[in-house]
Amino acid sequence: MKYKDFNHWELAEDAYFVNWVLRPNKHADKFWKQFLADHPEKSEDVLLAREIVTNIRYSDKPRLNDTEYNDLFERIISTKRSKRPSNVFYVREAQYRWVRYVAAVTLVLASAILYNQYWLSSHPSDEKTIQTLVKESPRGSKLTAVLSDGSKVKLNAGSKITYPKEFSDTLRLIYLTGEAFFEVESDPARPFRVKSDKVNAEVLGTSFNVRAYPDDRKISVAVAEGKVKVTNADQSTVRFEHTLLPFQESEINVQSNQVVKRELQDDMIFAWTNWKLVFKEEPLSLILKKLERWYGVEFELKGAIKTSETYSGSFDNDPLKVVLEVLTSQDAFDYEIQGRKILITSKY
Amino acid sequence: MKVFSESSITSNGELKKTTSSRKLSHQEIVQGLEQGDESVLGYIYHRYVQDMFGFGSQFTRDRELVKDSIHEVFASLIARRQSLEKIRSIKSYLFAAVYHRIIYDIKKNTTFKNKNQKNNYREFNIEFSVQNRLIMEESNREKLNKIKSAIKNIGARQRQAILHYYYDGFVHEEIAMIMGLKNAHSVTKLISRGLKAIRESIAVVVVLFMTDLG
């Protein structure tokens, strides 16, 4: 028997031995038991060889986090559902590349909107034929809509999109107030543009997130994947043009009228599309505003409450009561639910 | 800054529910895919996606690129662009497909300037947690680190072959397929050379260790 002259390194290299260690089966078990019975002096080598075989691993093997895990699965499943025309192989491949560009764009709209003006100025010739649709997701609710080109839109609480029933041949234009996540069907011939009165974000085929709440002070465009062109949309806003790559963000401060381009440190900005409520070092004032939209409630503050105090935390679409319990558990204030109104009172 | 709780609900709890815990045979998987059975797709995803991601991440640090590649691989499985009958083992097929997809994407995204530069980035660093039985006591951290750096000095393809063989549990033919090697014999050679290097690096450490004692 050849194995009696093997040391542990030679055993660790032997396919029959390795196979036994990694995929044990009755036959191999029997063989190696017999071998050890015949050659008891080899038991140390067999043990060491087993150790070598089972102790080699990747020193760095990255894993998907929960959000990425779920997002990727959803992307794959939605690929399955959207029926793709069976084009010639490489044509389909080329188009598919576009779908893969996922961008998340966040716009925060600071003032009231006159979307009709945009609509008419962008589409003077289509004016008569346009039948405009409005999808609205009131405070405290979320919804998903499918557009005529097959693109999907997730609408966050307190948000609204306005778009033509049929898009034109040259442009797919959507007007948004609030926050939405777009999964755009590929169509290089018809750019997909999301408009607000301060910023435009344009892509050819992508998935992206837009936040444009009228009562927020900051407009932000943030990209998760792909490439998005961001420009100012009106003359009163500072003139700029940014091409954003993954994990880059343009933020426009409406009050000071300044624009910065920066790198995102995490994917927190996209968390809501998984129905996750995430705060990262955010002042209480902003957190309460977000909770008002998310749960469709209103807060009333009484007493000395420091709304500039910052908090971090994350919730998986938990009931409001859970969030309130956590928020008030370690702090100086109490809450009281009065229907859709929530009273926050200072303990001191 | 104050931190308040993390919610304890696991976000993929629902996904997990839809997956059967039973191990499907290769034939069941291929049949399920051919019939467009969504639960089989879910099964493959849950079973292999972390391995696919970990493997793909050895070629690039761009997480999005790796995820895109995985998406492409599944899309191509769904579209049945690949004749499924030819797939002999699903895991090695998935690895090979992810690899090709990533290399394709990296080439595509390479700027003109460095287009001629071949992308040879390969991580595949090995961690060999040596037990005291083999050479030394666990407490000897310094020596362990020396082994780690010595293991890094083994060629990347040798490291890859070794990890595929011992960690991923692929047989030689599968490794040859994933790494684009001619035959199983080439794999044998890679593993043999790599293992020899590990063995020598450990020998060096043992000598050092003895010297310290003396």
Side-chain angles (χ1 to χ4, degrees), chain A residues 12 61 69 100 225 281, chain B residues 1 45 51 64 68 72 166:
Chain A
K61 196 179 175 223
Y69 188 94
R100 291 176 56 247
E225 273 176 55
E281 292 177 49
Chain B
M1 187 188 89
Y45 185 83
D51 280 337
E64 301 304 320
D68 280 354
E72 285 282 0
Y166 294 108

Side-chain angles (χ1 to χ4, degrees), chain A residues 39-54:
Chain A
H39 306 277
E41 77 281 3
K42 287 274 138 199
S43 62
E44 181 72 4
D45 277 315
V46 168
L47 269 174
L48 289 176
R50 280 193 79 101
E51 229 162 64
I52 294 167
V53 171
T54 54

Side-chain angles (χ1 to χ4, degrees), chain A residues 16 19-32:
Chain A
Y16 188 65
N19 198 46
W20 170 56
V21 175
L22 297 178
R23 290 168 287 269
N25 62 69
K26 260 190 208 155
H27 184 77
D29 272 347
K30 202 178 152 198
F31 174 88
W32 289 104

